[in-house]
């Protein structure tokens, strides 16, 4: 019997899941991390840098959750501030300049909603990423490797291919938020999770994502899939690549 949507939500939120840094070290070679948005500060909730994949230089950008309480505090529990999204965009534009494909990893409940983040332009930073990613002249592959929540996740997911690990979720709103808005009762979150259709199988069936990566031998399967997909995407002309990305999202 397949897992319920609520069970998938719990698995997606597990603190034991591999992080962006884990994937950067296990799937890729020679990862070098870059820091800062060149405007305000470095946001630990998003990490990024350059690496190689089967000899091909790539840029990696991803949301980083912690593996301990202190690590989560340092990384704001994987909820980026605007400077995190601006760092991500800086690295993606750098990748475009040097012709490197971009691989993003997404695991967040959403962008940080605090007053400071709003004062520094959280909405503008997310919107800017959506705009700029839609027109990047290099291949972009986005991977949901945990919780894909709201615009905070979408800000790294305007991609040519969007993949999900098997036991992950991707949604415009958390089940708790949905239940609170619809029924004024957050305890009905398990029911909301079923209605939202937020699991990888639901989203693949509805054409929102392109591939599910099984969570068994994940590293080898993900590496092989990335190599194959990047070979296909890099063979396309820049014009065809950008137009296909536009049409992918336009159909929604």
């Amino acid at each position: 019997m397949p897992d319920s949507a609520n069970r998938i939500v719990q698995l997606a939120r597990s603190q034991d899941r591999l992080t962006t840094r884990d994937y950067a070290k296990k799937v890729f070679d020679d990862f070098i991390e870059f820091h800062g948005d060149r405007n305000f500060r470095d946001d630990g909730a998003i990490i990024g840098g350059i690496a190689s994949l089967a000899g091909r230089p790539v840029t990696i950008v991803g949301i980083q959750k912690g593996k301990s309480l202190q690590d989560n505090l340092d990384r704001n529990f994987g909820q980026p501030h605007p400077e995190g999204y601006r760092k991500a965009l800086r690295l993606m534009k750098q990748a475009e300049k040097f012709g490197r494909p971009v691989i993003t990893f997404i695991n967040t409940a959403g962008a940080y909603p605090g007053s400071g983040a709003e004062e520094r332009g959280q909405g503008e930073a997310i919107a800017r990423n959506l705009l700029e990613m839609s027109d990047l002249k290099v291949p972009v592959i986005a991977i949901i490797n945990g919780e894909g929540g709201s615009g905070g996740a979408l800000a790294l997911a305007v991609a040519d291919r969007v993949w999900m690990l098997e036991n992950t979720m991707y949604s415009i709103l958390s089940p708790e938020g949905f239940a609170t808005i619809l029924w004024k009762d957050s305890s009905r979150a398990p029911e909301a999770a079923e209605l939202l259709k937020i699991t990888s199988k639901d989203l693949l069936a509805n054409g929102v994502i392109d591939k599910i990566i099984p969570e068994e031998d994940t590293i080898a399967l993900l590496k092989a899939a990335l190599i194959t997909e990047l070979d296909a995407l890099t063979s396309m002309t820049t014009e065809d690549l950008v137009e296909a990305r536009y049409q992918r999202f336009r159909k929604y």
Side-chain angles (χ1 to χ4, degrees), residues 177-193:
F178 181 94
T180 299
I181 291 171
L182 190 62
W183 301 307
K184 304 294 188 291
D185 183 2
S186 63
S187 68
R188 295 178 67 178
E191 183 180 352

Side-chain angles (χ1 to χ4, degrees), residues 3-10 13 169 173-180 182-183 185-199 202:
D3 283 326
S4 68
N6 187 57
R7 170 65 174 161
I8 296 295
V9 170
Q10 305 312 311
R13 292 172 172 172
M169 58 177 281
L173 185 65
S174 70
E176 293 82 3
F178 181 94
T180 299
L182 190 62
W183 301 307
D185 183 2
S186 63
S187 68
R188 295 178 67 178
E191 183 180 352
E194 297 291 345
L195 292 174
L196 282 166
K197 304 297 182 185
I198 58 180
T199 69
D202 287 328

Side-chain angles (χ1 to χ4, degrees), residues 47 54 99 131 146 161 205 212 223 235 246 251:
I47 68 168
L131 175 65
R161 302 288 184 267
I212 296 173
K223 184 172 184 176
S235 70
Y246 171 79
K251 70 181 180 181

Side-chain angles (χ1 to χ4, degrees), residues 27 163 166 211-228:
V27 175
W163 299 346
E166 185 177 8
K211 183 189 289 288
I212 296 173
I213 305 296
E215 296 201 39
E216 183 176 334
D217 201 17
T218 304
I219 297 299
L221 291 172
L222 180 58
K223 184 172 184 176
L226 283 170
I227 292 169
T228 299

Side-chain angles (χ1 to χ4, degrees), residues 72-93:
N72 265 317
L73 289 170
D74 293 341
R75 301 188 182 282
N76 206 37
F77 294 86
Q79 292 185 290
H81 289 78
E83 48 270 21
Y85 292 114
R86 290 177 179 131
K87 173 170 68 172
L89 182 57
R90 177 176 77 82
L91 296 179
M92 288 187 281
K93 295 300 287 185

